Amino acid sequence: MVNVGDKKITKRKATAKATMFLGEEIISHFNNDELITKKGPVFQTAIIAGIQAVKKTSELIPMCHPLLINGVDIDIEITDKEHIEILCTVAIEGKTGVEMEALTGANLAALTVYDMCKAISQKMVIKEVKLFEKSGGKSDIKNG
Protein backbone atom coordinates (compact mmCIF):
# COMPACT_ATOMS: atom_id res chain seq x y z
CA MET A 1 0.00 0.00 0.00
CA VAL A 2 1.08 3.55 -0.62
CA ASN A 3 2.19 5.38 2.51
CA VAL A 4 -0.18 8.30 3.06
CA GLY A 5 1.18 9.21 6.49
CA ASP A 6 2.60 12.57 5.40
CA LYS A 7 -0.50 13.69 3.53
CA LYS A 8 -2.84 16.30 5.01
CA ILE A 9 -6.37 15.40 6.01
CA THR A 10 -8.80 16.99 3.55
CA LYS A 11 -12.46 16.66 2.65
CA ARG A 12 -12.74 14.20 -0.22
CA LYS A 13 -15.68 13.09 -2.27
CA ALA A 14 -16.12 10.80 -5.26
CA THR A 15 -19.11 9.85 -7.38
CA ALA A 16 -19.22 6.82 -9.67
CA LYS A 17 -21.89 6.21 -12.28
CA ALA A 18 -23.10 2.85 -13.55
CA THR A 19 -25.31 2.71 -16.64
CA MET A 20 -27.34 -0.44 -17.06
CA PHE A 21 -29.58 -1.82 -19.81
CA LEU A 22 -32.58 -3.61 -18.29
CA GLY A 23 -34.82 -3.67 -21.34
CA GLU A 24 -38.49 -2.82 -21.73
CA GLU A 25 -39.61 -6.18 -20.33
CA ILE A 26 -38.09 -5.45 -16.90
CA ILE A 27 -38.76 -1.70 -16.85
CA SER A 28 -42.46 -2.35 -17.61
CA HIS A 29 -42.76 -4.19 -14.28
CA PHE A 30 -41.74 -1.11 -12.26
CA ASN A 31 -44.39 0.81 -10.35
CA ASN A 32 -43.50 4.21 -8.82
CA ASP A 33 -39.78 3.68 -9.55
CA GLU A 34 -39.61 0.35 -7.70
CA LEU A 35 -40.01 -3.28 -8.61
CA ILE A 36 -40.92 -5.87 -6.01
CA THR A 37 -39.69 -9.35 -6.95
CA LYS A 38 -39.73 -12.61 -5.01
CA LYS A 39 -36.38 -11.47 -3.59
CA GLY A 40 -37.83 -8.13 -2.42
CA PRO A 41 -37.65 -4.48 -3.54
CA VAL A 42 -35.00 -4.22 -6.25
CA PHE A 43 -33.72 -0.65 -5.92
CA GLN A 44 -33.91 -0.56 -2.11
CA THR A 45 -31.93 -3.80 -1.89
CA ALA A 46 -29.39 -2.59 -4.45
CA ILE A 47 -28.83 0.59 -2.44
CA ILE A 48 -28.13 -1.42 0.72
CA ALA A 49 -25.78 -3.73 -1.21
CA GLY A 50 -23.92 -0.74 -2.64
CA ILE A 51 -23.47 0.79 0.81
CA GLN A 52 -22.15 -2.52 2.18
CA ALA A 53 -19.74 -2.74 -0.76
CA VAL A 54 -18.40 0.76 -0.09
CA LYS A 55 -17.67 -0.20 3.51
CA LYS A 56 -15.87 -3.41 2.45
CA THR A 57 -13.81 -2.02 -0.44
CA SER A 58 -10.46 -2.44 1.35
CA GLU A 59 -11.31 -6.12 1.94
CA LEU A 60 -12.00 -6.65 -1.76
CA ILE A 61 -9.24 -4.59 -3.41
CA PRO A 62 -5.86 -5.53 -1.90
CA MET A 63 -4.07 -2.15 -2.02
CA CYS A 64 -6.96 0.03 -0.80
CA HIS A 65 -6.69 1.61 2.64
CA PRO A 66 -9.47 0.91 5.14
CA LEU A 67 -11.29 4.22 5.52
CA LEU A 68 -13.65 5.83 8.00
CA ILE A 69 -16.48 6.75 5.66
CA ASN A 70 -18.45 9.88 6.57
CA GLY A 71 -21.31 9.21 4.19
CA VAL A 72 -22.60 7.21 1.24
CA ASP A 73 -25.45 8.22 -1.04
CA ILE A 74 -26.71 5.89 -3.75
CA ASP A 75 -29.38 7.03 -6.19
CA ILE A 76 -30.94 4.75 -8.80
CA GLU A 77 -33.06 6.26 -11.55
CA ILE A 78 -34.91 4.90 -14.55
CA THR A 79 -33.57 7.07 -17.39
CA ASP A 80 -35.71 5.76 -20.27
CA LYS A 81 -37.82 2.72 -21.19
CA GLU A 82 -34.76 0.43 -21.23
CA HIS A 83 -32.04 1.90 -18.97
CA ILE A 84 -31.22 2.83 -15.41
CA GLU A 85 -28.44 4.93 -13.95
CA ILE A 86 -26.83 4.33 -10.57
CA LEU A 87 -24.91 7.13 -8.84
CA CYS A 88 -22.80 6.27 -5.80
CA THR A 89 -21.28 9.20 -3.88
CA VAL A 90 -18.85 8.65 -1.02
CA ALA A 91 -17.48 11.33 1.32
CA ILE A 92 -14.68 11.30 3.91
CA GLU A 93 -12.23 13.55 5.68
CA GLY A 94 -8.97 11.73 5.21
CA LYS A 95 -5.56 11.34 3.61
CA THR A 96 -6.61 9.29 0.59
CA GLY A 97 -9.40 9.42 -1.95
CA VAL A 98 -12.62 7.43 -2.16
CA GLU A 99 -12.79 6.75 -5.89
CA MET A 100 -12.45 2.99 -5.46
CA GLU A 101 -15.17 2.97 -2.82
CA ALA A 102 -17.58 4.84 -5.10
CA LEU A 103 -16.78 2.56 -8.05
CA THR A 104 -17.22 -0.54 -5.90
CA GLY A 105 -20.56 0.70 -4.56
CA ALA A 106 -21.91 1.46 -8.04
CA ASN A 107 -20.75 -1.92 -9.36
CA LEU A 108 -22.29 -3.92 -6.53
CA ALA A 109 -25.56 -2.02 -6.75
CA ALA A 110 -25.72 -2.88 -10.48
CA LEU A 111 -24.90 -6.53 -9.81
CA THR A 112 -27.65 -6.64 -7.21
CA VAL A 113 -30.18 -5.25 -9.69
CA TYR A 114 -29.07 -7.95 -12.13
CA ASP A 115 -29.43 -10.69 -9.52
CA MET A 116 -32.89 -9.55 -8.47
CA CYS A 117 -34.24 -9.16 -12.02
CA LYS A 118 -32.67 -12.18 -13.75
CA ALA A 119 -35.84 -14.26 -13.26
CA ILE A 120 -37.66 -11.76 -15.51
CA SER A 121 -34.94 -11.48 -18.17
CA GLN A 122 -31.26 -12.27 -18.53
CA LYS A 123 -30.74 -9.79 -21.35
CA MET A 124 -29.52 -7.13 -18.90
CA VAL A 125 -26.14 -5.49 -19.48
CA ILE A 126 -24.04 -3.44 -17.10
CA LYS A 127 -22.90 -1.13 -19.88
CA GLU A 128 -20.51 1.28 -18.20
CA VAL A 129 -19.13 2.03 -14.77
CA LYS A 130 -16.99 5.12 -14.50
CA LEU A 131 -15.69 7.72 -12.10
CA PHE A 132 -18.12 10.58 -12.65
CA GLU A 133 -16.41 13.15 -10.44
CA LYS A 134 -14.05 13.55 -7.52
CA SER A 135 -12.96 16.40 -5.32
CA GLY A 136 -10.28 16.84 -2.70
CA GLY A 137 -6.70 15.67 -2.73
CA LYS A 138 -4.32 16.69 -5.51
CA SER A 139 -6.94 17.26 -8.20
CA ASP A 140 -10.62 17.57 -8.94
CA ILE A 141 -12.10 15.58 -11.82
CA LYS A 142 -15.43 15.84 -13.63
CA ASN A 143 -16.19 13.21 -16.30
CA GLY A 144 -19.73 14.35 -17.19
Side-chain angles (χ1 to χ4, degrees):
M1 284 190 343
V2 174
N3 185 343
V4 295
D6 292 335
K7 287 185 168 185
K8 292 181 179 176
I9 294 174
T10 60
K11 288 185 179 185
R12 297 162 183 262
K13 184 190 261 187
T15 301
K17 179 166 77 170
T19 306
M20 191 170 177
F21 169 83
L22 295 187
E24 288 186 52
E25 184 178 5
I26 293 173
I27 296 287
S28 69
H29 287 83
F30 277 79
N31 185 14
N32 295 325
D33 293 331
E34 184 58 280
L35 169 60
I36 309 297
T37 68
K38 290 180 181 181
K39 293 185 175 187
V42 175
F43 285 179
Q44 289 178 30
T45 305
I47 289 167
I48 293 168
I51 292 168
Q52 285 181 322
V54 166
K55 293 167 34 175
K56 293 187 174 283
T57 299
S58 67
E59 295 174 33
L60 300 169
I61 302 174
M63 299 303 164
C64 284
H65 291 83
L67 301 175
L68 293 173
I69 304 294
N70 288 352
V72 179
D73 183 43
I74 298 179
D75 182 52
I76 306 175
E77 181 180 317
I78 298 170
T79 57
D80 62 33
K81 62 184 180 177
E82 295 184 328
H83 296 87
I84 66 169
E85 183 177 273
I86 301 166
L87 289 173
C88 177
T89 301
V90 182
I92 66 164
E93 290 180 30
K95 296 182 176 191
T96 188
V98 287
E99 299 95 272
M100 297 312 299
E101 286 73 11
L103 288 161
T104 301
N107 268 297
L108 253 292
L111 288 169
T112 301
V113 170
Y114 190 102
D115 177 57
M116 296 188 75
C117 293
K118 68 185 179 195
I120 300 169
S121 171
Q122 293 186 344
K123 295 179 181 177
M124 294 172 283
V125 178
I126 300 169
K127 295 174 86 171
E128 179 180 50
V129 180
K130 68 178 183 178
L131 180 64
F132 186 63
E133 63 185 323
K134 93 166 196 68
S135 61
K138 286 184 184 177
S139 62
D140 292 348
I141 295 172
K142 179 123 179 156
N143 294 320

